[in-house]
Amino acid sequence: MRTPQSGIFALGTASHAYLEFDARQAGDARALAVAVASLREPRTTMGGINLVAGFRPELWREVVPEDALHAVNGFDRDLIGPDGYTIPATQHDAVLWLSGSAYDVVFDTARAAIAAVATVASIAEETSSWPYRHDRDLTGFIDGSENPTLIEVPEIAVIPDGSPGAGGTILLLQKWSHDATAWESLAVAEQEQVIGRTKDESVELDDKPPDSHVARTDQDRFGKIFRRNMPYGTVTDHGTMFVGFSAEQRPLSAMLESMAGLTDGVRDALTRYARPLTGAYYFVPSTDGLRRCADI
């Protein structure tokens, strides 16, 4: 049985860093993959770090074809809704997601990782994140209300044994900026109509509007996913890092298309108050796949 990367499931971590890399030269894809796959989580007795590594799907297919999904593609084209609302494509070659109990350890490990791959890859995007009021995002609503339990996650997020890429998963990583002034000008009842849930208890509204966020990303319709979202930013410039995992790409891409109004012309109401800045798909191989790559 292939083993997924354990950091995917490390709930409760207080500090996060997301590092996205590009190969310095087109011919460096193999060297980049080997360098990233060779990184190891530090073995410390206190303040240990979880490290999750992922790769642009096309790059992984090129380097480790026997462990690759052929029906997964990078986020290479913007999604543009009928009213011009754009979900940008900012695909990079590799991602490292580090999480731990304290940011100083995350910071030191991130610097060491960047230095370890510096000869073959450059940093293209860097974001740091932290939890807000235990399980809420910066809208004040609970994030991940429909998340599966850790017992259920493997059936939803992990590619099953016997399939190409077994033990791996598909990651959609996006950075969403919040218009806090506009959002906070709404009454709580108005915010609940936008989200489709109550703010305090996160109970789904029986009469939620068809353009509410819950309605536009209905997992009973599009398929279940596993989310590890986190707030990011400063007091004056902040938002949400969307970190979504699935065993198939389609549930993730279908939700984005629905949010942009590509399916029926109805745009997600939350997009009036949140704007995506980045968007990339990564294949996150199993630990076995990483070892295979590191030994190339």
Side-chain angles (χ1 to χ4, degrees), residues 250-275:
R250 188 55 190 161
L252 297 164
S253 61
M255 288 181 192
L256 288 187
E257 291 168 2
S258 176
M259 290 180 70
L262 285 169
T263 52
D264 55 8
V266 179
R267 202 175 102 197
D268 191 325
L270 185 58
T271 62
R272 297 198 293 267
Y273 308 96
R275 180 170 62 91

Side-chain angles (χ1 to χ4, degrees), residues 8 23 38 44 52 60 66 73-74 76 86 92 114 119 131 139 158 173 185 254 258 270 272 275 292:
I8 296 168
S38 299
T44 59
V52 175
W60 187 254
E66 67 275 16
N73 299 300
D76 297 321
T86 300
H92 299 293
I114 292 169
T119 58
T139 67
V158 179
L173 183 67
S185 70
S258 176
L270 185 58
R272 297 198 293 267
R275 180 170 62 91
R292 184 181 296 111

Side-chain angles (χ1 to χ4, degrees), residues 115-191:
V117 302
T119 58
V120 293
S122 58
I123 281 284
E125 185 75 32
E126 174 193 354
T127 307
S128 300
S129 293
W130 31 265
Y132 177 70
R133 297 188 181 181
H134 180 58
D135 56 3
R136 296 181 184 267
D137 63 26
L138 296 181
T139 67
F141 283 73
I142 294 174
D143 200 345
S145 296
E146 292 192 34
N147 250 359
T149 67
L150 289 182
I151 295 175
E152 299 168 324
V153 166
E155 295 182 5
I156 292 168
V158 179
I159 298 166
D161 282 343
S163 301
T169 184
I170 299 157
L171 164 64
L172 171 60
L173 183 67
Q174 291 181 294
K175 185 175 184 177
W176 288 77
S177 175
H178 292 187
D179 185 342
T181 300
W183 178 253
E184 291 166 0
S185 70
L186 300 178
V188 170
E190 294 174 302
Q191 293 180 352

Side-chain angles (χ1 to χ4, degrees), residues 35-273:
V36 171
S38 299
L39 295 171
R40 293 291 182 266
E41 299 174 19
R43 303 304 182 197
T44 59
T45 56
M46 295 179 64
I49 293 295
N50 302 289
L51 189 154
V52 175
F55 303 89
R56 178 168 52 84
E58 296 86 349
L59 183 148
W60 187 254
R61 277 199 295 272
E62 175 186 341
V63 178
V64 193
E66 67 275 16
D67 189 52
L69 286 171
H70 296 284
V72 181
N73 299 300
F75 202 146
D76 297 321
R77 291 189 297 273
D78 294 349
L79 289 180
I80 302 175
D83 63 352
Y85 185 82
T86 300
I87 298 179
T90 60
Q91 184 68 52
H92 299 293
D93 287 331
V95 64
L96 288 175
W97 166 32
L98 302 95
S99 64
S101 59
Y103 188 65
D104 55 351
V105 187
V106 171
F107 178 85
D108 286 343
T109 307
R111 291 191 68 208
I114 292 169
V117 302
T119 58
V120 293
S122 58
I123 281 284
E125 185 75 32
E126 174 193 354
T127 307
S128 300
S129 293
W130 31 265
Y132 177 70
R133 297 188 181 181
H134 180 58
D135 56 3
R136 296 181 184 267
D137 63 26
L138 296 181
T139 67
F141 283 73
I142 294 174
D143 200 345
S145 296
E146 292 192 34
N147 250 359
T149 67
L150 289 182
I151 295 175
E152 299 168 324
V153 166
E155 295 182 5
I156 292 168
V158 179
I159 298 166
D161 282 343
S163 301
T169 184
I170 299 157
L171 164 64
L172 171 60
L173 183 67
Q174 291 181 294
K175 185 175 184 177
W176 288 77
S177 175
H178 292 187
D179 185 342
T181 300
W183 178 253
E184 291 166 0
S185 70
L186 300 178
V188 170
E190 294 174 302
Q191 293 180 352
E192 291 176 339
Q193 291 293 301
V194 171
I195 299 297
R197 289 184 177 275
T198 60
K199 191 168 187 176
D200 289 339
E201 301 86 8
S202 197
V203 176
E204 187 170 329
L205 301 179
D206 291 332
D207 59 346
K208 59 184 177 294
D211 67 344
S212 67
H213 184 57
V214 170
R216 300 311 298 173
T217 58
D218 184 359
Q219 294 193 39
D220 291 331
R221 176 184 173 192
F222 298 114
K224 300 290 186 181
I225 64 172
F226 178 51
R227 289 161 52 181
R228 292 292 311 277
N229 297 359
M230 277 286 156
Y232 80 87
T234 66
V235 174
T236 57
D237 181 13
H238 52 256
T240 297
M241 287 299 294
F242 178 87
V243 185
F245 295 95
S246 177
E248 300 179 61
Q249 188 171 28
R250 188 55 190 161
L252 297 164
S253 61
M255 288 181 192
L256 288 187
E257 291 168 2
S258 176
M259 290 180 70
L262 285 169
T263 52
D264 55 8
V266 179
R267 202 175 102 197
D268 191 325
L270 185 58
T271 62
R272 297 198 293 267
Y273 308 96

